[in-house]
Amino acid sequence: MVFPELTPMATLPPSREGPIRFGPFEVDPQTGELRKHGIRIRLQDQPCKILLALLEKPGEVVSRDELRTRIWGEETFVDFDHGLSAAVNRLRDALSDSAESPRYVETLARRGYRFIGPVEKAVVEPVEPVAAAVEAPGAGAAAAAGGRARRRAVWVGAAVVSVAAGLGALWLSREGGKARPEPEVVAITGLSGVEITPSFSPDGRQVAFVWNGDSQENRDIYVKQVEGSTESRLTSDEAADEFPAWSPDGALIAFSSHRREPGIYVVSPLGGPARKIAAMRTLSAPAWFGDSKSLVVSRPYRRPKYEPGDGSLFLAPVEGGGTPRLLLKAAEGMWLKNPVLAGDDTLVYAACRNPMAGRYECHVEAVSLSAERQPVGEPRRVTTPLAWIDGLTWNAESGELVLAVSQGLDVGSHLWRVSLEGNAARPELLTSAGMNAYDPVFDSRGTRLAFSRLASQAEIWSWEQGGPARAFLKSSRGEALPQFSGDGRRIAFQSGRGGERTSVWTAKADGTGWEPLTRELGRWSGSPRWSPDDRWIAFDQQNENRSWDIWKIESTGGPPVRLTKGPGSSFIPSWSRDGRWVYFGSDRTGRNEIWRVPAGGGQAEQITRAGGHVAFESVDGKTLYYTKNEQGTGGVYAVAPAGGEERVVVSVEVPGRAFAVVSDGIFHLAAGGLESPGGVDPGAYLYSYARMYPQSWNRGQIRFHEFSSGRSRVLGEILGPIAVGFAVSPDGKRVLYSRRNSEAELFVMEGWR
């Protein structure tokens, strides 16, 4: 129970200049503190003064003399030309910018510098102090940041809020909810592209990681000093190398490779040829035993071609080239991943439902190991059921686990902490890491936590037959899942602007006149679909227990109407052509199937019996077309709305809900350029790691499947990375789709306690 504690009224201070935002960065003019995606970036005094001077006049030239005065004053007795150039270079390093291809700081020869990026400024307005929440003993950490007068930041331009709530709050200890200083989080890489999956050296001074290079064309293993600025490349095969794991004795780094002879390889951290130790690959980092002679490897789950051993954990010897032996068998439909060894006698891992079944649910389990490295007894559940786990690590000093939990590609991941001794325990949010944090790993001393942080946003692009694709709708918060109204004059889409949660927005078909529709509901909502008369928009929305339900709202605004209420989750609605029904996917039977509910409310009825995810009715209302999962494996199926035998209509993979039914056929997207481990279902690979590898689905073909001939023809090709969302205008001449921009960096949290 939470009791209110009243704070005395105080005289309100005057308004002051608030933070300035540009791209993923935010700088406080009062303190000079620079943050990227909410994480503080170290910036020296001189580069900070230059940045603030440029931000005061965005788009205008600031002369070198003006900057000299700003930094050193009127009486300058230094070689300010050299000093100014050096300070500008340090600023560019902090912003991951370059003089050759500037995104923020542009050089004008012999004149000065200009800030060229879009800038959003805020004014902090004082408001009356509010009652602070004080927590009763044992109630958790809900009121950690209470007791302070609140201020409101009013952004000039698009509405923008912090990337993750609570980044400035106190970090809570686990002993009685006592507050302690927030640990320092610093970036340790600033390369262009994507840097992910860190692994510490035994002494904690170096880190191995994956980087896709300056040209973002291939993934290789690199090593750098944690406090250094230069990285060394260890692998250079033309195929992708990923998931490095440093051995406890420091002699080897294990990794998974897609090269001509795929499998698990090891390489010296000093460089040299890589050596293959096992003919199997993985989608999470291996875990070393303490003697550095063997490791635990997770074998990915394969669907629909499941084979015994898929999703299980194996023991792979480093020497001798022996076949990995089964260590812990997964039940069919389960995927045991992200193995971690808590000493040599306890194996910890994420136990996940196969994502291809449409249920993104995991929990953490632990099992004891004998001296012969065999499981002893039954696995024990450490956590309650969670969403998708994208990383797991153990702290030998504190006995805690830190895990990354994500709800999908378009919902960010956070880091959570929980005791290994927990019994179906609920983890505690680690606010200091912020949003979109993945791949946590502790050093051997347990004082440093490294993780990767993804900056990914979707944009809506437009393609018309005979012309190139162009950016159509974009903001700093991401747009996706567009849908045309029936008359083609408006679109509805899912957007993150105006808050940290996605909501449904509408706009004119030319991209102007943005209006929020569900933002004030305060929950994740999206997947909008127009009713045939354009009066209503159906959408899905997350509940307090993380399940989803179907709602509808008038397209001009108003109170929402709930159409489903469990059990399980209901998602991705669409309307029958006569407007009487709303179709949706649901996992209420334990597997995703297509259901429908009366548009005015009532009892839902099941349509499919062999799987279903997203569905659209034919124009004549006699056929329902659907895919069976988010990845569209198996293609597009058809069945009568009243039920019956299903049949395959489009036999190629149609991912990301990317199809639209018209009177004479189906427009759809066919994926191209998808790299995945041999034998592993591309859809599962796409779900797990497209978030980190933007080139993993880097192009697609827009095709039209003609009902009369049963044949498909290519209308055009679009370049990616392609995200979720696809819509066709009523006249069939225009296609809207989502495209994702991604970058990732490595961070270290110092002083873990």
Side-chain angles (χ1 to χ4, degrees):
M1 183 176 297
V2 177
F3 300 92
E5 177 184 11
L6 299 180
T7 22
M9 297 297 293
T11 303
L12 297 178
S15 301
R16 66 174 178 83
E17 184 180 5
I20 303 171
R21 168 171 286 200
F22 54 96
F25 296 95
E26 182 179 297
V27 62
D28 187 334
Q30 309 298 317
T31 64
E33 187 175 84
L34 176 67
R35 290 181 178 266
K36 182 176 183 180
H37 299 297
I39 301 296
R40 185 157 56 87
I41 303 295
R42 288 173 176 169
L43 187 64
Q44 300 96 328
D45 180 63
Q46 292 180 358
C48 181
K49 289 180 178 178
I50 293 173
L51 176 61
L52 293 176
L54 297 177
L55 289 173
E56 288 175 2
K57 302 177 181 179
E60 300 180 22
V61 179
V62 179
S63 70
R64 294 178 67 86
D65 284 340
E66 186 175 345
L67 292 174
R68 178 200 64 188
T69 302
R70 185 73 169 255
I71 297 174
W72 292 287
E74 293 291 345
E75 298 182 4
T76 303
F77 300 100
V78 300
D79 181 3
F80 84 88
D81 280 324
H82 179 270
L84 180 59
S85 297
V88 170
N89 288 338
R90 291 197 299 273
L91 173 60
R92 284 182 170 136
D93 287 343
L95 302 180
S96 300
D97 203 8
S98 72
E100 295 75 20
S101 301
R103 289 184 294 174
Y104 303 115
V105 180
E106 180 185 38
T107 301
L108 288 89
R110 296 183 297 277
R111 295 178 59 193
Y113 302 91
R114 175 169 57 195
F115 195 90
I116 59 175
V119 175
E120 297 170 342
K121 296 185 178 182
V123 175
V124 176
E125 297 178 350
V127 298
E128 293 183 5
V130 298
V134 177
E135 208 165 26
R148 295 175 296 200
R150 297 180 182 174
R151 291 175 173 265
R152 182 179 61 213
V154 182
W155 289 96
V156 180
V160 179
V161 299
S162 175
V163 173
L167 288 178
L170 292 175
W171 194 41
L172 301 178
S173 72
R174 299 179 66 248
E175 293 82 16
K178 297 178 181 178
R180 59 188 175 195
E182 182 181 352
E184 183 179 23
V185 178
V186 295
I188 60 172
T189 62
L191 306 168
S192 61
V194 174
E195 305 105 64
I196 51 172
T197 57
S199 177
F200 278 110
S201 61
D203 62 9
R205 296 179 180 179
Q206 300 180 77
V207 63
F209 62 99
V210 171
W211 180 35
N212 61 354
D214 283 318
S215 59
Q216 283 116 64
E217 293 180 348
N218 192 48
R219 304 185 290 277
D220 288 296
I221 309 299
Y222 291 77
V223 169
K224 73 177 296 292
Q225 296 285 335
V226 172
E227 298 181 359
S229 59
T230 304
E231 64 284 339
S232 300
R233 185 174 184 172
L234 293 185
T235 68
S236 56
D237 192 273
E238 61 183 13
D241 298 326
E242 51 196 6
F243 306 113
W246 213 309
S247 64
D249 63 7
L252 296 172
I253 294 173
F255 62 94
S256 178
S257 179
H258 296 198
R259 56 190 66 191
R260 186 178 298 273
E261 293 186 10
I264 303 295
Y265 283 72
V266 291
V267 66
S268 167
L270 302 178
R275 174 170 58 89
K276 182 179 176 181
I277 64 169
M280 64 181 296
R281 283 174 292 184
T282 185
L283 293 180
S284 55
W288 286 90
F289 278 92
D291 60 8
S292 299
K293 294 181 179 180
S294 59
L295 11 72
V296 180
V297 181
S298 168
R299 178 166 149 180
Y301 192 95
R302 295 185 282 193
R303 183 185 174 101
K305 298 179 180 179
Y306 171 81
E307 296 179 3
D310 285 354
S312 300
L313 297 175
F314 288 78
L315 184 69
V318 175
E319 302 294 342
T323 301
R325 71 168 171 86
L326 182 64
L327 179 63
L328 191 63
K329 183 179 179 180
E332 185 172 352
M334 294 298 292
W335 183 359
L336 310 184
K337 57 192 290 286
N338 303 107
V340 172
L341 285 162
D344 283 352
D345 59 357
T346 305
L347 175 61
V348 187
Y349 53 91
C352 303
R353 292 181 180 270
N354 165 36
M356 297 299 294
R359 298 189 65 178
Y360 310 123
E361 180 181 295
C362 302
H363 60 270
V364 177
E365 290 184 351
V367 65
S368 298
L369 298 178
S370 67
E372 293 74 30
R373 297 177 182 175
Q374 294 283 0
V376 178
E378 292 297 318
R380 171 178 57 86
R381 281 203 177 198
V382 177
T383 69
T384 56
L386 306 166
W388 193 252
I389 293 178
D390 269 313
L392 180 65
T393 186
W394 176 66
N395 189 309
E397 294 299 316
S398 67
E400 290 180 298
L401 298 169
V402 169
L403 52 152
V405 181
S406 170
Q407 291 188 358
L409 294 177
D410 293 302
V411 183
S413 171
H414 290 83
L415 297 188
W416 299 74
R417 62 192 298 176
V418 67
S419 171
L420 177 57
E421 302 305 317
N423 184 10
R426 182 161 184 81
E428 173 190 338
L429 179 64
L430 185 60
T431 59
S432 305
M435 191 173 178
N436 291 328
Y438 298 88
D439 311 315
V441 61
F442 280 110
D443 67 358
S444 60
R445 297 175 298 170
T447 60
R448 279 178 165 174
L449 176 71
F451 58 94
S452 61
R453 187 170 172 86
L454 176 71
S456 178
Q457 65 182 38
E459 303 170 345
I460 296 175
W461 282 57
S462 176
W463 174 88
E464 297 185 37
Q465 295 190 40
R470 60 181 179 86
F472 176 58
L473 291 179
K474 60 181 182 178
S475 74
S476 61
R477 300 293 291 159
E479 333 297 336
L481 299 170
Q483 286 293 310
F484 283 99
S485 60
D487 61 12
R489 295 180 179 179
R490 291 189 293 168
I491 59 172
F493 56 98
Q494 176 178 302
S495 176
R497 68 164 51 198
E500 73 169 46
R501 296 177 174 88
T502 60
S503 56
V504 175
W505 290 61
T506 62
K508 296 178 181 178
D510 63 1
T512 63
W514 291 44
E515 293 288 343
L517 197 59
T518 67
R519 183 181 62 182
E520 301 305 321
L521 302 181
R523 300 188 185 279
W524 295 98
S525 57
S527 306
R529 308 286 181 186
W530 297 83
S531 62
D533 61 3
D534 292 339
R535 177 185 173 187
W536 295 92
I537 291 177
F539 62 97
D540 51 19
Q541 179 171 279
Q542 190 181 46
N543 304 314
E544 292 181 355
N545 64 356
R546 297 202 327 271
S547 65
W548 292 74
D549 274 305
I550 305 299
W551 297 66
K552 70 176 185 178
I553 190 171
E554 290 192 82
S555 59
T556 55
V561 178
R562 189 171 189 168
L563 297 180
T564 67
K565 192 174 183 180
S569 285
S570 301
F571 41 82
I572 316 176
S574 68
W575 294 80
S576 63
R577 298 292 177 165
D578 60 11
R580 295 175 54 203
W581 299 91
V582 174
Y583 295 97
F584 59 94
S586 178
D587 63 2
R588 60 186 65 190
T589 64
R591 177 175 63 185
N592 282 1
E593 302 286 0
I594 301 299
W595 292 65
R596 68 179 183 181
V597 66
Q603 186 69 31
E605 58 184 52
Q606 186 174 349
I607 305 297
T608 64
R609 304 288 172 176
H613 187 64
V614 56
F616 296 101
E617 199 177 75
S618 62
V619 173
D620 62 10
K622 297 180 179 180
T623 307
L624 190 67
Y625 298 95
Y626 59 97
T627 55
K628 293 193 174 185
N629 48 56
E630 188 80 344
Q631 295 74 27
T633 51
V636 178
Y637 295 77
V639 72
E645 293 295 322
E646 69 177 18
R647 57 188 172 89
V648 178
V649 179
V650 178
S651 58
V652 299
E653 182 177 295
V654 180
R657 318 177 195 179
F659 71 103
V661 180
V662 295
S663 59
D664 56 344
I666 298 175
F667 288 89
H668 69 91
L669 194 63
L674 178 63
E675 305 172 24
S676 64
V680 177
D681 192 295
Y685 186 73
L686 174 65
Y687 178 85
S688 294
Y689 290 100
R691 62 173 176 87
M692 296 189 287
Y693 303 135
Q695 77 277 24
S696 61
W697 183 23
N698 57 12
R699 66 181 181 274
Q701 289 180 337
I702 298 175
R703 299 183 183 180
F704 183 75
H705 177 87
E706 189 176 58
F707 288 146
S708 60
S709 67
R711 297 178 179 177
S712 295
R713 66 179 187 272
V714 177
L715 302 180
E717 185 172 86
I718 54 177
L719 299 178
I722 299 170
V724 178
F726 185 84
V728 177
S729 61
D731 61 9
K733 296 181 179 180
R734 185 181 176 198
V735 171
L736 299 180
Y737 67 97
S738 299
R739 178 170 166 170
R740 182 177 300 279
N741 292 324
S742 299
E743 63 178 27
E745 295 178 277
L746 301 184
F747 290 82
V748 165
M749 183 182 296
E750 302 277 6
W752 178 273
R753 292 186 296 276

